[in-house]
Amino acid sequence: MTDDARRRTSHEMLVTAPARAVYDLLADVTGWPEIFHPTVYAQQLQMTGGRERIRLWAMANGQVKTWVSGRTLTPEALRIDFRQEVSQHPVESMGGSWVIEDLGEQGCRIVLLHDFTAVGNDPENVAWIGGVIERNSSSELLGLKTAAEAMTEAEQLTIRFEDSIVIDGSAADVYDFLNEAKLWSERLPHVATVDLREDSPGLQVLRMETRTKDGSTHTTESVRVCLPHEKIVYKQLELPALMSLHTGHWLLQQDGEQVRATSRHTVTVKESKITTILGPEAGIEEARNYLRTALSGNSLATLGHAGPDPE
């Protein structure tokens, strides 16, 4: 592919937060699902000096895509360069840079640069990639701005917790139960309906109606990354009204003839909905407690059905 076929884009945004704080958010790739709406899951594969390899799973035009990238982190220049090692169709190659310009007391300017080539230099592929970059770049810059400018407030609204149980049997069997979410409406009392799509092995879109204690239901849609037989990571794209973020992990650890199964949650309360849903006297603490109780209850109920049937 000639350089004439390489397209370049540039997006930028002003942020009223310290430049180094913004850089640190970008440098910690494992926190990206909490900042960037398109990012479902992020792994650090290797770190040597300022060179890093990462694997990302993210939404692109309604599809789940995954790829491995190399990154060069240069903190003294407030810059991170990245390039995909192996791209997914219709992307032939993709790279770019995050550049942060320190503006002193005014905050900083974030510049997000991309360069790419499309498979076959086909105009439809070029347009598809350009559209994804436009939407995701705008979304990511806004997410980064929001996270950087409201770090203290966000910590008050965000809760992280996990629940574990020990199950007799194998991690593979428990994994299969969690992976086969298409059967949950038959297996779990709190699940009313399920629609599961798996266009690529291990990448699922799960839409379901969940019953609450008062008998009402709410609909959620999640993207799930399934990694046999150790974990399933998910991010909700369609959320209950009281949440603005929900990511989670199902983690499995074999210990002899038993499995430690853990459900891990990261949730951000949508403050504007607290009094509407929980009443005029409710505040952030009441919302945090309500969500933890509800999510823990559903997770433990799910894991409780994942073990062997009693004789």
Side-chain angles (χ1 to χ4, degrees):
M1 189 73 67
T2 67
D3 196 57
D4 292 341
R6 185 168 298 277
R7 271 71 176 181
R8 291 175 171 80
T9 66
S10 177
H11 297 80
E12 63 180 64
M13 184 167 286
L14 294 174
V15 177
T16 55
R20 184 56 194 240
V22 173
Y23 175 87
D24 289 343
L25 289 174
L26 288 170
D28 179 14
V29 71
T30 61
W32 282 15
E34 298 179 31
I35 300 172
F36 299 143
H37 181 72
T39 304
V40 177
Y41 184 42
Q43 279 184 325
Q44 184 189 70
L45 302 177
Q46 185 179 1
M47 185 71 173
T48 306
R51 288 285 301 163
E52 181 184 36
R53 292 180 73 241
I54 62 173
R55 186 177 185 92
L56 295 174
W57 288 261
M59 299 301 296
N61 278 355
Q63 302 174 29
V64 189
K65 297 288 186 178
T66 183
W67 63 91
V68 174
S69 291
R71 301 205 305 170
T72 300
L73 285 73
T74 314
E76 61 273 15
L78 299 175
R79 181 185 181 102
I80 299 174
D81 299 297
F82 57 88
R83 188 152 302 278
Q84 293 182 4
E85 293 182 359
V86 178
S87 303
Q88 277 200 351
H89 190 279
V91 179
E92 181 176 79
S93 68
M94 175 81 71
S97 304
W98 291 94
V99 182
I100 303 167
E101 301 175 10
D102 193 341
L103 302 179
E105 294 182 359
Q106 299 176 44
C108 61
R109 176 184 289 106
I110 308 168
V111 181
L112 176 54
L113 304 171
H114 284 95
D115 65 79
F116 70 91
T117 58
V119 172
N121 200 25
D122 181 89
E124 289 189 8
N125 291 340
V126 171
W128 190 95
I129 298 167
V132 170
I133 289 177
E134 181 64 32
R135 283 185 292 275
N136 283 8
S137 295
S138 298
S139 174
E140 288 170 355
L141 285 168
L142 181 58
L144 188 56
K145 175 182 173 69
T146 301
E149 292 181 349
M151 292 181 73
T152 302
E153 181 184 6
E155 282 303 310
Q156 294 175 341
L157 293 172
T158 299
I159 52 175
R160 297 175 175 84
F161 60 94
E162 62 181 42
D163 300 287
S164 297
I165 68 170
V166 175
I167 301 171
D168 293 331
S170 71
D173 288 342
V174 177
Y175 175 88
D176 287 344
F177 181 92
L178 297 171
N179 182 58
E180 295 169 352
K182 62 186 177 183
L183 302 176
W184 281 3
S185 59
E186 304 168 21
R187 295 174 168 177
L188 299 175
H190 64 276
V191 176
T193 64
V194 171
D195 178 35
L196 181 71
R197 190 177 83 242
E198 188 168 0
D199 297 330
S200 300
L203 299 179
Q204 300 178 345
V205 178
L206 172 64
R207 187 174 182 84
M208 65 181 184
E209 278 189 280
T210 303
R211 296 186 181 93
T212 58
K213 287 185 177 180
D214 62 9
S216 63
T217 62
H218 61 261
T219 301
T220 58
E221 183 170 286
S222 304
V223 176
R224 308 206 312 169
V225 177
C226 305
L227 304 171
H229 292 105
E230 298 178 0
K231 71 174 69 171
I232 295 176
V233 183
Y234 62 88
K235 182 175 186 176
Q236 287 189 344
L237 302 182
E238 184 174 335
L239 295 143
L242 193 54
M243 304 181 200
S244 60
L245 169 77
H246 182 199
T247 66
H249 292 57
W250 299 101
L251 305 171
L252 304 174
Q253 291 179 300
Q254 189 76 46
D255 184 10
E257 296 182 355
Q258 295 181 317
V259 183
R260 175 166 291 278
T262 300
S263 172
R264 181 180 296 165
H265 298 271
T266 298
V267 180
T268 300
V269 176
K270 183 176 283 189
E271 190 172 10
S272 62
K273 294 293 185 179
I274 293 177
T275 56
T276 302
I277 295 170
L278 300 182
E281 303 302 318
I284 294 173
E285 194 60 31
E286 287 77 12
R288 287 165 60 98
N289 292 336
Y290 175 88
L291 289 174
R292 171 152 194 171
T293 298
L295 292 171
S296 288
N298 285 347
S299 295
L300 290 172
T302 299
L303 292 176
H305 285 79
D309 292 331
E311 296 181 359

